[in-house]
Amino acid sequence: MPAAGGFDKGNGKGYPGKLTPFVTVTCIVAAMGGLIFGYDIGISGGVTSMPSFLKRFFPSVYRKQQANSSTNQYCQYNSETLTLFTSSLYLAALLSSLVASSVTRKFGRKKSMLFGGVLFFAGALINGFAQGVWMLIVGRLLLGFGIGFANQSYRGALNIGFQLSITIGILIANVLNYFFAKIKGGWGWRLSLGGAMVPALIITIGSLVLPDTPNSMIERGQRDEAREKLRKIRGVNDVDEEFNDLVAASEASKQVEHPWGNLLKRKYRPHLTMAILIPFFQQLTGINVIMFYAPVLFNTIGFGNDASLMSAVITGLVNACATLVSIYGVDKWGRRSLFLEGGTQMLICQAIVAACIGAKFGVDGNPGELPKWYAVVVVLFICLYVAAFAWSWGPLGWLVPSEIFPLEIRSAAQSVNVSVNMAFTFVVAQIFLNMLCHLKFGLFIFFAFFVLVMSIFIFFFLPETNGIPIEEMGQVWKNHWFWSRYVGEDDFVSNGGVELQKGSNAINNV
């Protein structure tokens, strides 16, 4: 969020203003969007490792878990229905993200935020009072639809700050799972699932209290109201320059015809490639195996229920702290350096974890007694892996695409980026337990292979975007050894891209 005293848009241009209550409350509501996203990611793995939850909804998995002394540990959680409980959220998020932008443009962010908050609350309520698997899945679907609308409402916040909110949500979920699992009677999972109602209520109430954004008002022709609202938001009367930039951005956006057709043009080949491959590789790092199923994974490799939940808390804490490293260093060290360092560290850690698990579990999945020091080594390298992702591919997977899409293709390219991300999040979540059963410790080698491929891709094909204005990205592509064959001297991004960046950045987060 902008600091008090002025608003620097990242393009060398500042607008007068100060930190107002409106901005503060909006920051809190926006943080709830990321928080609930992370909470939903972290909560599912915790409850699926609780015996009382499994006994009620997935008895076949429960029986295999109880017979773990004679069961192949790799396969004890293998259940398509169990993975559907987790992955259904991301399928719904994918579907809703395809229509959320149209709804937001027509009705405004305020109503889109309200709709997302209501869906969040309904999904958490149904999950908390679930009596059957169908209620669990319906609840997760509603949560997913809410995420789709929340991501659209906070599209300007899909950066490192939003990623930090997600990691905090994951950490909170892991901590609550640990303590709720200790409740006598085995009903703590209801509190874990229903806990999402708290941030959902904040989003819903916030949407009722907060007025619509000036950006949204301008898009719907309410310019006088938008100017007055901008004065209240910034806390100053002199908002003419920022308001004019917002209007120019809105007008430029309306003049863009056929963004999907533009995206397919030869000169936008590098942009389309990044919009597809960066989110694709981000999901095939294997991070969601850890974040979705951390307690299940730790339980599988020999930890008890309490120990597996505590290990998930540790990885969640590492995840949040390492994201702060990215916030500190992303502009200081550059995007490519973080990408490559993170990829190298993840590759090494995955190779070591695969070797450790393979040496102890073999292919039959019966390790016997797992020494404490051995478990500590596994957790240590998983934490190092999580840290590498959290300061590289996690935040940069959202940040870098947002820095390279000019006006002519921005809406289409961002839609592709989000859709690919959600689609492969769903795929990885759905097939992970089945892959673990069949590939065994080789699953970590599988993800390590993609980490190697994506690091090579970044090294050869992604130019540094740190500190480069959008109007100068055309020259960057033109000078690149590979992309220069697609981008010519006459293909540089027009000034319209600059105007949209000014206008959208001016108010995206408020």
Side-chain angles (χ1 to χ4, degrees):
M1 283 300 298
F7 296 87
D8 185 0
K9 300 303 132 221
N11 50 21
K13 185 173 185 177
Y15 299 116
K18 57 186 178 181
L19 187 64
T20 61
F22 177 92
V23 175
T24 302
V25 174
T26 303
C27 286
I28 295 173
V29 175
M32 291 303 105
L35 190 70
I36 200 169
F37 196 179
Y39 187 88
D40 290 332
I41 291 174
I43 210 69
S44 58
V47 298
T48 52
S49 70
M50 296 181 187
S52 57
F53 178 82
L54 294 174
K55 184 177 181 180
R56 184 180 184 92
F57 297 105
F58 306 97
S60 62
V61 177
Y62 174 76
R63 288 191 294 269
K64 285 189 289 185
Q65 186 190 58
Q66 296 305 302
N68 57 19
S69 61
S70 59
T71 300
N72 186 327
Q73 297 291 297
Y74 295 123
C75 299
Q76 66 170 322
Y77 286 98
N78 188 23
S79 167
E80 295 296 331
T81 309
L82 181 62
T83 52
L84 183 61
F85 162 65
T86 296
S87 64
S88 55
L89 181 147
Y90 303 97
L91 179 61
L94 168 62
L95 296 175
S96 63
S97 66
L98 298 177
V99 300
S101 59
S102 299
V103 174
T104 302
R105 280 196 302 269
K106 185 174 182 179
F107 298 104
R109 291 190 188 182
K110 179 182 173 73
K111 292 183 179 179
S112 181
M113 184 198 309
L114 174 62
F115 190 44
V118 170
L119 289 173
F120 275 142
F121 185 83
L125 185 67
I126 291 174
N127 276 173
F129 289 95
Q131 299 298 319
V133 175
W134 70 270
M135 291 183 69
L136 292 176
I137 294 177
V138 168
R140 293 287 287 181
L141 287 172
L142 290 175
L143 288 170
F145 285 126
I147 285 173
F149 280 92
N151 278 352
Q152 177 61 32
S153 298
Y154 303 115
R155 63 182 182 269
L158 283 177
N159 50 33
I160 296 180
F162 194 69
Q163 180 73 15
L164 179 61
S165 295
I166 292 175
T167 62
I168 293 173
I170 293 172
L171 176 59
I172 291 173
N174 290 333
V175 171
L176 292 179
N177 279 333
Y178 178 77
F179 287 105
F180 289 157
K182 296 179 178 295
I183 294 178
K184 294 181 179 180
W187 54 274
W189 59 267
R190 291 194 182 276
L191 294 178
S192 292
L193 294 176
M197 287 189 288
V198 176
L201 273 176
I202 296 176
I203 292 175
T204 304
I205 295 174
S207 69
L208 296 174
V209 174
L210 295 174
D212 223 337
T213 64
N215 227 10
S216 181
M217 291 178 175
I218 291 172
E219 289 176 358
R220 288 177 286 130
Q222 302 172 0
R223 294 193 178 185
D224 292 337
E225 295 91 334
R227 185 189 295 271
E228 185 61 30
K229 189 58 60 183
L230 188 58
R231 289 195 180 102
K232 292 182 179 179
I233 291 173
R234 296 312 188 202
V236 296
N237 290 322
D238 182 16
V239 296
D240 289 346
E241 185 178 14
E242 183 176 5
F243 178 78
N244 291 335
D245 282 343
L246 287 170
V247 173
S250 178
E251 293 299 325
S253 179
K254 292 177 182 178
Q255 293 173 7
V256 175
E257 297 181 356
H258 314 298
W260 289 98
N262 290 336
L263 184 59
L264 297 177
K265 291 181 179 179
R266 178 180 175 86
K267 64 179 180 179
Y268 292 126
R269 196 70 51 82
H271 307 77
L272 179 60
T273 301
M274 299 303 166
I276 294 174
L277 289 186
I278 287 180
F280 169 78
F281 284 133
Q282 186 190 52
Q283 297 312 311
L284 285 176
T285 58
I287 187 63
N288 284 337
V289 170
I290 304 297
M291 294 296 102
F292 290 167
Y293 300 108
V296 170
L297 180 62
F298 286 123
N299 202 326
T300 296
I301 59 178
F303 292 62
N305 288 327
D306 281 355
S308 64
L309 289 170
M310 178 51 70
S311 298
V313 171
I314 294 172
T315 57
L317 183 62
V318 170
N319 190 26
C321 292
T323 303
L324 295 175
V325 175
S326 183
I327 293 175
Y328 169 78
V330 67
D331 291 326
K332 184 176 181 180
W333 302 319
R335 280 65 164 153
R336 274 172 52 87
S337 296
L338 281 177
F339 265 133
L340 294 173
E341 190 284 330
T344 302
Q345 186 171 324
M346 284 190 288
L347 179 63
I348 294 172
C349 291
Q350 284 170 318
I352 293 175
V353 170
C356 290
I357 296 177
K360 189 63 180 176
F361 285 74
V363 295
D364 59 2
N366 291 308
E369 188 69 24
L370 191 67
K372 185 176 181 180
W373 68 268
Y374 209 90
V376 170
V377 170
V378 173
V379 172
L380 173 63
F381 281 99
I382 286 180
C383 285
L384 289 173
Y385 160 80
V386 169
F389 177 86
W391 63 52
S392 62
W393 277 86
L396 296 181
W398 291 110
L399 178 63
V400 171
S402 73
E403 295 179 325
I404 65 174
F405 299 147
L407 168 64
E408 293 86 349
I409 62 168
R410 182 162 299 169
S411 61
Q414 290 286 25
S415 294
V416 170
N417 188 59
V418 173
S419 297
V420 171
N421 191 294
M422 289 297 174
F424 280 94
T425 303
F426 166 74
V427 170
V428 170
Q430 182 61 32
I431 67 175
F432 160 64
L433 293 177
N434 190 270
M435 291 179 67
L436 179 61
C437 181
H438 289 87
L439 295 180
K440 303 174 174 58
F441 63 89
L443 178 63
F444 292 93
I445 299 175
F446 171 84
F447 286 121
F449 168 77
F450 280 100
V451 170
L452 176 62
V453 171
M454 72 192 197
S455 297
I456 294 173
F457 170 78
I458 292 296
F459 183 81
F460 285 105
F461 296 104
L462 180 69
E464 180 58 66
T465 62
N466 184 27
I468 300 176
I470 190 68
E471 70 270 22
E472 296 180 14
M473 277 302 299
Q475 187 65 49
V476 173
W477 300 119
K478 179 64 180 66
N479 293 335
H480 192 270
W481 73 273
F482 181 80
W483 299 120
S484 59
R485 68 189 67 183
Y486 298 103
V487 180
E489 291 290 346
D490 297 330
D491 292 331
F492 290 170
V493 178
S494 67
N495 287 334
V498 184
E499 292 304 317
L500 180 60
Q501 186 179 17
K502 288 179 183 176
S504 60
N505 282 345
I507 205 68
N508 261 350
N509 283 334
V510 294

